[in-house]
Amino acid sequence: MGKTNSKLKFSKTTKSNMITYLMVAVAYVAVEILLAGGHMSSLMEGLLVPLCIYVMLAVSLNLTVGILGELSLGHAGFMCVGAFAGAFFSKCMKGAMPDGLRFLIAMVIGAAVAGAFGILIGIPVLRLKGDYLAIVTLAFGEIIKNLVNVLYIGRDGNGFHFSMKDSISLHLGEEGEVLINGAQGITGTPHDASFTVGIILILISLFVILNLINSRDGRAIMSIRDNRIAAESVGINITKYKLMAFSVSAAIAGVAGVLYAHNLSTLTALPKNFGYNMSIMILVYVVLGGIGNIRGSIISAVILTLLPELLRGLSDYRMLIYAVILIVMMLFNWSPKAVEWKEQVREKYFSGRKFRKGAAGQVPADASLKGKGGK
């Protein structure tokens, strides 16, 4: 009986994951059809890659906020680290190797650097809880952004030169080149980002996150979220699993940053790009989509990214309608009555229970066990 239940549970999990993958694939096909038919404006077409970036950021933050249960406000900092690490590598290796291979290595570097920062920051930070953790991660994001703005790196025949003063202090030779120019950032990053690449990265991110959630490690992470003391009492290594979730979330944010960097001609660490508002916006996607609901994060990121542009024609009422839709989405996801209604719909249509026709109408198939020794 136990084996049968585990198989059913595995089947339901696999089916749910496949629905999520299929949802992304269908959206990709629909967009490609619109593009091929010329039914999409250039403005909407320009939003496709940022849309993929925001989806990746939302699902990765949901791993920390929803699955681990820790409030992080420094997600834009990990995105910034990955973006500059990947763009720096691409700028250095431009023309030295095939474009596809260089872009792939840049993504790996961005993920590795952001993941390493996630571990380094997570070791001291994850000992904190609640508001303290949120404040420290927020400070990390602001520190990273400000450090990048005072960083100058150049290259000439003698190698790399570093400075935190100005580009003149690099003392480059005549053939020297400034790679990172402080607040002016990195200029001339190859434009390798595309909607197709973004969709592939979304699917890879979903594969990593969903398999982690449904694994033994994922169950350990969720047990820490639900009751830390109980999890520790049964031998679960709290620090290990917290760092695992935090570093995986940071690494995916780093990959999103690499995609972001290769979609721009000039990469700068401005507040609107990697500041506090960006972290809050990603958190809004997670909260509106449902904390712990990966599919909801995808839908909310898509809706809230496209909505301002779709309402641009209503210039006088655009932000009013946007705010009303935000409120409606929040009520639909978190209102007790709405939650109760969604549970009833889920039980009615997706519970998978078989019914048989009895004298008194439809009765669950396992109801016959009751009264005959069944429990």
Side-chain angles (χ1 to χ4, degrees):
M1 189 69 178
K3 291 182 179 179
T4 303
N5 289 337
S6 64
K7 288 181 180 179
L8 288 173
K9 185 177 180 181
F10 175 78
S11 177
K12 289 179 181 178
T13 300
T14 304
K15 185 186 296 185
S16 178
N17 292 351
M18 292 305 297
I19 290 174
T20 304
Y21 302 142
L22 183 63
M23 183 177 70
V24 176
V26 169
Y28 172 72
V29 172
V31 170
E32 288 296 323
I33 292 174
L34 291 175
L35 289 174
H39 301 299
M40 185 173 290
S41 65
S42 58
L43 183 61
M44 292 297 294
E45 188 176 348
L47 284 175
L48 294 178
V49 174
L51 188 65
C52 296
I53 295 168
Y54 294 139
V55 168
M56 292 176 64
L57 291 170
V59 297
S60 61
L61 183 60
N62 210 343
L63 179 60
T64 299
V65 176
I67 308 304
L68 180 59
E70 300 289 356
L71 179 59
S72 172
L73 295 180
H75 214 55
F78 297 120
M79 178 187 174
C80 180
V81 169
F84 275 87
F88 180 78
F89 174 80
S90 290
K91 185 72 180 291
C92 291
M93 303 304 295
K94 187 176 181 179
M97 60 174 62
D99 292 344
L101 178 61
R102 173 183 45 73
F103 186 42
L104 178 62
I105 296 176
M107 286 190 289
V108 172
I109 290 175
V113 173
F117 269 84
I119 295 174
L120 291 175
I121 299 300
I123 290 174
V125 163
L126 291 177
R127 299 177 185 274
L128 304 173
K129 298 179 183 178
D131 297 341
Y132 300 102
L133 175 63
I135 292 171
V136 174
T137 52
L138 173 62
F140 157 73
E142 294 299 310
I143 290 170
I144 288 295
K145 175 175 64 67
N146 290 320
L147 282 177
V148 170
N149 281 329
V150 296
L151 181 63
Y152 297 85
I153 301 178
R155 179 181 60 176
D156 60 11
N158 296 322
F160 291 96
H161 301 261
F162 301 86
S163 175
M164 298 189 74
K165 185 178 179 182
D166 53 38
S167 57
I168 299 175
S169 303
L170 296 173
H171 303 295
L172 298 175
E174 293 183 358
E175 75 286 1
E177 177 187 16
V178 178
L179 300 174
I180 301 181
N181 194 15
Q184 297 181 23
I186 300 178
T187 303
T189 306
H191 194 282
D192 296 324
S194 67
F195 181 58
T196 301
V197 172
I199 290 293
I200 293 172
L201 292 178
I202 288 175
L203 291 173
I204 294 174
S205 302
L206 289 173
F207 179 80
V208 171
I209 291 175
L210 292 176
N211 279 278
L212 175 61
I213 292 173
N214 297 313
S215 67
R216 182 178 179 181
D217 294 335
R219 290 191 292 271
I221 292 170
M222 287 185 282
S223 70
I224 296 171
R225 173 197 65 190
D226 295 336
N227 194 320
R228 175 181 177 139
I229 296 175
E232 196 168 12
S233 68
V234 297
I236 293 176
N237 190 328
I238 303 295
T239 303
K240 170 188 172 182
Y241 288 109
K242 276 193 168 186
L243 283 177
M244 179 187 295
F246 202 65
S247 59
V248 170
S249 176
I252 295 175
V255 174
V258 176
L259 187 65
Y260 178 83
H262 287 76
N263 192 45
L264 302 172
S265 58
T266 301
L267 177 65
T268 56
L270 297 175
K272 67 177 182 179
N273 297 340
F274 304 112
Y276 170 78
N277 288 333
M278 173 64 81
S279 294
I280 294 298
M281 184 178 70
I282 302 168
L283 183 62
V284 168
Y285 296 155
V286 173
V287 173
L288 287 180
I291 295 176
N293 187 344
I294 301 299
R295 201 179 301 162
S297 295
I298 298 173
I299 296 172
S300 64
V302 171
I303 291 175
L304 295 183
T305 302
L306 295 181
L307 199 57
E309 300 305 324
L310 294 175
L311 297 175
R312 188 169 292 277
L314 304 172
S315 56
D316 295 335
Y317 305 100
R318 182 165 64 103
M319 296 313 297
L320 175 61
I321 298 174
Y322 183 77
V324 169
I325 293 176
L326 282 178
I327 295 172
V328 171
M329 288 179 66
M330 181 64 76
L331 292 175
F332 181 75
N333 278 316
W334 297 105
S335 171
K337 290 293 184 182
V339 172
E340 182 181 350
W341 176 78
K342 286 189 290 184
E343 287 296 329
Q344 291 174 353
V345 172
R346 188 179 293 113
E347 289 178 4
K348 184 176 181 180
Y349 295 104
F350 301 104
S351 63
R353 299 175 66 187
K354 295 181 180 179
F355 290 85
R356 63 177 175 82
K357 192 74 175 178
Q362 289 186 335
V363 182
D366 57 352
S368 59
L369 295 175
K370 296 182 180 180
K372 296 183 180 181
K375 294 182 180 180

